[in-house]
Amino acid sequence: MERLQKVIAHAGIASRRKAEDMISSGKVKVNGKVITELGTRVTPSDVIEVEGIKIERENKVYFLLYKPTGVISAVSDDKNRKVVTDFLPYVDERIYPVGRLDYDTSGLLLLTNDGEFANLLTHPKYEVHKTYIARVKGLVSRESLRKLEKGVKLEDGMTAPAKAKVVSADKAKNKTIVELTIHEGRNRQVRRMFDAIGHPVQKLKRERYAFLHLGGLSTGDSRELTPHEVKQLRALAESGTK
């Protein structure tokens, strides 16, 4: 069940705040009955009318995008830069990214119009693992890896324990490729974690999100999630499975 004002907003009728005003002023009916109580929850089978016009609810859709670098994880940008939805022009529904990847970070990003699903996957109390491949400056020692694994202190607090391993190291070029798996989603977290151990990130890609991966996709490609994948993601988040 979803809040009535949220359903009205998602249908594109009005902003959520405006939808609340419309409900309070008696302009909304559910199954023929005027509803004025904010927070009223409705089911997909309920018939909702706003000022006498029945609203059509969008089907819930779920997509996986291989986000390129130089793209904003948003649906619009005031500087007219490319945004992730530019890569899904065939989608009629009003989708938005689940969480975000930095402008300079590529990799796996989910998009949906299902707010409950998005909140479930991004809520701090749930532990959905995300795996990144980072090319960093310098040769990363075992001691530095242990710091990542135990958690490092950032300006917004200690990070949760992570999994880290060296994929390769190049002494001549003074760089290391590290695989890092975390379940938090703080702003620029992976980059800040490597900064904290003295190895700035030169290139970063999210390879996996839970059990999902980029196999078969090229940069900028996307695909729809299967119903089974959506069900698995819900179950994974709800169980807190690591």
Side-chain angles (χ1 to χ4, degrees):
M1 298 180 73
E2 291 186 293
R3 291 180 182 274
L4 180 56
Q5 57 265 42
K6 182 178 177 182
V7 173
I8 293 171
H10 280 181
I13 304 299
S15 67
R16 194 172 301 192
R17 179 168 293 183
K18 179 66 174 176
E20 291 175 350
D21 292 340
M22 297 173 97
I23 293 169
S24 299
S25 58
K27 296 179 179 179
V28 178
K29 290 183 180 180
V30 176
N31 300 326
K33 179 183 177 182
V34 174
I35 300 295
T36 57
E37 182 180 347
L38 297 179
T40 296
R41 294 182 178 271
V42 293
T43 68
S45 60
D46 287 325
V47 177
I48 302 168
E49 296 174 75
V50 178
E51 296 183 327
I53 299 174
K54 180 182 174 182
I55 68 170
E56 299 295 333
R57 295 200 232 180
E58 291 184 334
N59 291 324
K60 300 291 176 65
V61 293
Y62 312 86
F63 292 90
L64 184 160
L65 170 70
Y66 187 161
K67 176 194 171 296
T69 56
V71 176
I72 303 294
S73 293
V75 298
S76 63
D77 180 62
D78 56 9
K79 296 179 181 178
N80 205 31
R81 293 171 293 183
K82 269 191 173 295
V83 296
V84 289
T85 47
D86 290 337
F87 294 87
L88 295 96
Y90 57 89
V91 180
D92 294 326
E93 291 82 4
R94 289 176 289 275
I95 57 174
Y96 47 86
V98 177
R100 65 189 302 275
L101 286 178
D102 298 331
Y103 182 77
D104 294 321
T105 300
S106 65
L108 197 159
L109 183 69
L110 300 180
L111 297 98
T112 186
N113 60 349
D114 186 340
E116 180 187 8
F117 176 79
N119 182 63
L120 186 64
L121 293 182
T122 55
H123 197 286
K125 77 176 181 179
Y126 300 114
E127 298 186 351
V128 178
H129 279 183
K130 291 149 283 206
T131 298
Y132 296 81
I133 299 295
R135 185 183 74 199
V136 304
K137 183 178 181 180
L139 300 178
V140 179
S141 66
R142 180 59 209 163
E143 181 182 354
S144 292
L145 285 182
R146 280 197 292 269
K147 289 179 181 178
L148 294 175
E149 292 170 340
K150 291 180 180 179
V152 294
K153 186 175 182 180
L154 304 179
E155 59 269 25
D156 50 357
M158 290 290 293
T159 62
K163 294 180 182 179
K165 69 176 182 180
V166 170
V167 176
S168 66
D170 189 326
K171 291 184 179 180
K173 295 183 178 179
N174 193 35
K175 68 178 183 180
T176 307
I177 306 296
V178 180
E179 180 182 284
L180 181 68
T181 300
I182 63 174
H183 62 76
E184 296 175 289
R186 305 188 205 178
N187 185 41
R188 299 180 67 82
Q189 180 175 339
V190 173
R191 293 178 185 274
R192 291 191 292 139
M193 288 175 72
F194 279 107
D195 282 343
I197 63 167
H199 293 282
V201 170
Q202 298 174 328
K203 188 176 182 180
L204 185 62
K205 178 172 76 169
R206 184 194 280 169
E207 287 259 306
R208 300 179 69 90
Y209 190 102
F211 55 86
L212 297 172
H213 55 80
L214 294 169
L217 297 179
S218 299
T219 307
D221 287 349
S222 63
R223 71 170 178 85
E224 192 164 6
L225 296 184
T226 68
H228 182 62
E229 287 172 334
V230 174
K231 189 178 294 185
Q232 279 184 294
L233 284 170
R234 286 186 186 278
L236 185 66
E238 289 170 348
S239 68
T241 301
K242 297 184 180 181

